[in-house]
Amino acid sequence: AQSVSQHNHHVILSEAASLELGCNYSYGGTVNLFWYVQYPGQHLQLLLKYFSGDPLVKGIKGFEAEFIKSKFSFNLRKPSVQWSDTAEYFCAVKPANAGGTSYGKLTFGQGTILTVHP
Amino acid sequence: SQTIHQWPATLVQPVGSPLSLECTVEGTSNPNLYWYRQAAGRGLQLLFYSVGIGQISSEVPQNLSASRPQDRQFILSSKKLLLSDSGFYLCAWSLQGRGEKLFFGSGTQLSVL
């Protein structure tokens, strides 16, 4: 079975600082990778996803993530964070090409709380 | 547009009491439905998923059960809660065949005392 590890439980930054949240997964086959975000008082929502192709994927609000297959990593980055980026971020993995009832069976990491001070 | 409703938002229950959490989806038909749980300090764990009315698959053995009495209704239940059932429960849906994007409800914080 697959597993996901997020390195930091809580990250505190000042506005304009650069962000990198670590995510490593373990799985022997091809995977689809996701970052979800939950802003205070809002639902968990999809930030970006990687299925295939260019390993550098861009999501909403200036976020990007790079899939490094050799390192089993999918780190989330943003060059300059804003106060509004304060949220909890979840990395998730799903075996690729899983059809039928396997859809949506994501395995999530523990989550990283990001606090951005103005 | 599609919306997902989950209630209650918070719940405090004594050990041994029953549980019923409800989730409904509006604006779509025949969605895949999911129940996830996040225990303190741990990631989101898939508990149950359903691809149709009356079709429930369990991912982990536990004290909980799920039912889907209607196309867009998903219920999480327990006959007798345990302390270890405490956690944050999230309902989610996805389009059939497009399960890579989940839409989550607002969650229920369950405390079993």
Side-chain angles (χ1 to χ4, degrees), chain B residues 6 8-11 19 21 36-42 44 47 64 76 81-90 107-112:
Chain B
Q6 185 181 342
T10 60
L11 189 60
L19 173 73
L21 302 181
Y36 280 87
R37 175 175 64 195
Q38 183 178 23
R42 301 178 65 179
L44 286 168
L47 301 176
L64 303 168
L76 183 69
L81 284 169
L82 305 172
L83 287 174
S84 57
D85 292 324
S86 294
F88 188 63
Y89 291 81
L90 282 164
T108 297
Q109 183 64 53
L110 172 65
S111 298
V112 182

Side-chain angles (χ1 to χ4, degrees), chain A:
Chain A
Q2 61 271 25
S3 66
V4 179
S5 176
Q6 291 182 240
H7 309 152
N8 307 100
H9 176 64
H10 194 180
V11 173
I12 302 173
L13 296 173
S14 299
E15 275 194 319
S18 63
L19 170 72
E20 181 159 3
L21 301 182
C23 172
N24 285 91
Y25 69 92
S26 65
Y27 182 69
T30 306
V31 294
N32 301 142
L33 296 156
F34 308 81
W35 275 97
Y36 278 81
V37 59
Q38 186 169 25
Y39 297 102
Q42 297 187 27
H43 298 186
L44 198 64
Q45 59 186 289
L46 183 65
L47 191 58
L48 51 78
K49 61 184 178 182
Y50 170 79
F51 274 30
S52 63
D54 189 344
L56 184 63
V57 294
K58 296 188 183 298
I60 60 173
K61 303 186 180 184
F63 285 91
E64 64 180 31
E66 184 175 14
F67 171 48
I68 302 179
K69 188 175 181 180
S70 61
K71 295 184 178 180
F72 298 90
S73 69
F74 191 55
N75 292 354
L76 181 70
R77 300 195 295 247
K78 186 171 183 178
S80 176
V81 295
Q82 300 173 308
W83 174 79
S84 58
D85 294 324
T86 294
E88 188 164 13
Y89 294 81
F90 293 89
C91 182
V93 64
K94 180 173 75 69
N97 303 318
T101 57
S102 298
Y103 280 170
K105 290 172 60 176
L106 275 63
T107 299
F108 285 84
Q110 306 93 316
T112 298
I113 298 170
L114 171 65
T115 301
V116 180
H117 292 303

Side-chain angles (χ1 to χ4, degrees), chain B residues 23-112:
Chain B
C23 171
T24 60
V25 180
E26 297 177 358
T28 188
S29 296
N30 198 28
N32 290 335
L33 295 171
Y34 311 86
W35 278 110
Y36 280 87
R37 175 175 64 195
Q38 183 178 23
R42 301 178 65 179
L44 286 168
Q45 180 185 38
L46 179 63
L47 301 176
F48 300 97
Y49 67 93
S50 171
V51 298
I53 296 174
Q55 300 179 60
I56 309 294
S57 295
S58 174
E59 285 296 294
V60 292
Q62 57 208 313
N63 183 43
L64 303 168
S65 62
S67 61
R68 185 171 177 174
Q70 300 180 42
D71 180 45
R72 289 169 289 178
Q73 183 185 27
F74 206 26
I75 298 172
L76 183 69
S77 304
S78 174
K79 293 182 179 178
K80 289 185 178 181
L81 284 169
L82 305 172
L83 287 174
S84 57
D85 292 324
S86 294
F88 188 63
Y89 291 81
L90 282 164
C91 181
W93 73 273
S94 68
L95 291 170
Q96 287 281 352
R98 294 294 303 274
E100 71 274 7
K101 184 168 184 177
L102 296 176
F103 298 89
F104 286 86
S106 51
T108 297
Q109 183 64 53
L110 172 65
S111 298
V112 182

